[in-house]
Amino acid sequence: MLISESDLIIRSATVKDGKILCQWWNDGKIMEHAGFPHGLDTTIEKVQLDIERYNDENQVLIIEYRNNPIGEMSYRTISDKVAEIGIKICDLSKHEKGLGTRLIRMLIEELFFSNDYTKIVLDTNLNNKRAQHVYEKIGFKKAKTNLNSWKNQLGEFQSSIDYELLKGDYFSEQK
């Protein structure tokens, strides 16, 4: 996958990206919102093996801003014409710049137009108000709140919100 718009690029991760992905995934500050305040404790080799297994229905994507990697996105097919997506802007200096909104819109439009998905879902930690604001601004609707449904690395209960976006709703709201 390759999507570009002005100063942003979203592209399929390659084995060469294993080093930066490993660095991000092992950083507790970056991974804390996903329940891993100590990072994933993975290796470059393991990440590279995972990258080799990706296909057209399951990918990790690298986000580049002005030709520098700043984060990652992912998508996977979870049922017929339904994709689950995720995003992490790993360069913390790039937060609060509007990049997340632009990037999510780019991926949504690619999945709806080029890949013929009809619904996109995602979830976020109940405490991640910034992400919730972005998702709702784009048009995602809350589908379900999962209270105390999982524990993070520290054994603390966490809650999450499931969101969904239907193709017809997205494009009717963009007019």
Side-chain angles (χ1 to χ4, degrees), residues 76 79 104 111 124 132:
R76 68 184 183 102
S79 66
I104 293 168
L111 293 174
T124 191
Q132 292 169 47

Side-chain angles (χ1 to χ4, degrees), residues 1 56-59 61 74-76 84-85 111 115 117:
M1 178 176 287
D56 289 342
E57 294 187 352
N58 183 13
Q59 286 197 31
L61 308 163
S74 63
Y75 78 91
R76 68 184 183 102
E84 179 179 43
I85 66 170
L111 293 174
N115 294 40
Y117 287 98

Side-chain angles (χ1 to χ4, degrees), residues 1 3 75 81-83 85 104-121 138-140 164-172 174:
M1 178 176 287
I3 313 165
Y75 78 91
K81 298 187 185 264
V82 179
I85 66 170
I104 293 168
R105 286 186 192 280
M106 290 166 64
L107 182 58
I108 286 169
E109 291 172 14
E110 178 73 12
L111 293 174
F112 281 156
F113 279 127
S114 300
N115 294 40
D116 205 31
Y117 287 98
T118 58
K119 182 163 96 173
I120 297 174
V121 299
I138 289 170
F140 280 89
E164 64 181 36
L165 179 64
L166 299 175
K167 185 175 186 175
D169 291 346
Y170 177 74
F171 291 110
S172 66
Q174 301 309 306

Side-chain angles (χ1 to χ4, degrees), residues 6-174:
S6 181
D7 51 4
L8 291 173
I9 294 173
I10 302 170
R11 62 171 177 78
S12 298
T14 67
V15 171
K16 291 179 184 177
D17 297 308
K19 183 177 180 181
I20 189 86
L21 286 167
C22 184
Q23 178 184 332
W24 290 335
W25 293 351
N26 287 332
D27 186 325
K29 285 183 182 176
I30 294 170
M31 297 301 293
E32 183 174 25
H33 78 282
F36 299 96
H38 298 302
L40 293 182
D41 192 30
T42 190
T43 66
I44 294 170
E45 294 76 21
K46 283 175 68 177
V47 173
Q48 289 173 329
L49 282 173
D50 286 343
I51 291 169
E52 288 176 344
R53 292 187 189 114
Y54 294 131
N55 56 44
D56 289 342
E57 294 187 352
N58 183 13
Q59 286 197 31
V60 168
L61 308 163
I62 299 295
I63 301 166
E64 293 182 2
Y65 176 66
R66 298 183 178 159
N67 298 314
N68 294 305
I70 63 161
E72 60 153 314
M73 298 181 89
S74 63
Y75 78 91
R76 68 184 183 102
T77 301
I78 58 172
S79 66
D80 187 40
K81 298 187 185 264
V82 179
E84 179 179 43
I85 66 170
I87 181 173
K88 269 195 283 313
I89 297 180
C90 303
D91 180 339
L92 303 180
S93 73
K94 300 298 186 263
H95 286 199
E96 303 292 334
K97 308 269 189 236
L99 297 175
T101 301
R102 288 176 58 201
L103 289 158
I104 293 168
R105 286 186 192 280
M106 290 166 64
L107 182 58
I108 286 169
E109 291 172 14
E110 178 73 12
L111 293 174
F112 281 156
F113 279 127
S114 300
N115 294 40
D116 205 31
Y117 287 98
T118 58
K119 182 163 96 173
I120 297 174
V121 299
L122 55 81
D123 63 50
T124 191
N125 191 297
L126 185 62
N127 297 321
N128 193 343
K129 303 298 183 194
R130 183 183 59 200
Q132 292 169 47
H133 171 75
V134 169
Y135 302 146
E136 291 170 17
K137 177 173 66 172
I138 289 170
F140 280 89
K141 305 289 186 235
K142 289 182 184 178
K144 182 179 176 186
T145 301
N146 308 293
L147 296 176
N148 297 323
S149 58
W150 59 284
K151 290 184 180 182
N152 68 12
Q153 273 179 328
L154 305 176
E156 302 165 332
F157 273 105
Q158 301 290 301
S159 299
S160 63
I161 300 175
D162 296 340
Y163 282 95
E164 64 181 36
L165 179 64
L166 299 175
K167 185 175 186 175
D169 291 346
Y170 177 74
F171 291 110
S172 66
E173 288 187 22
Q174 301 309 306

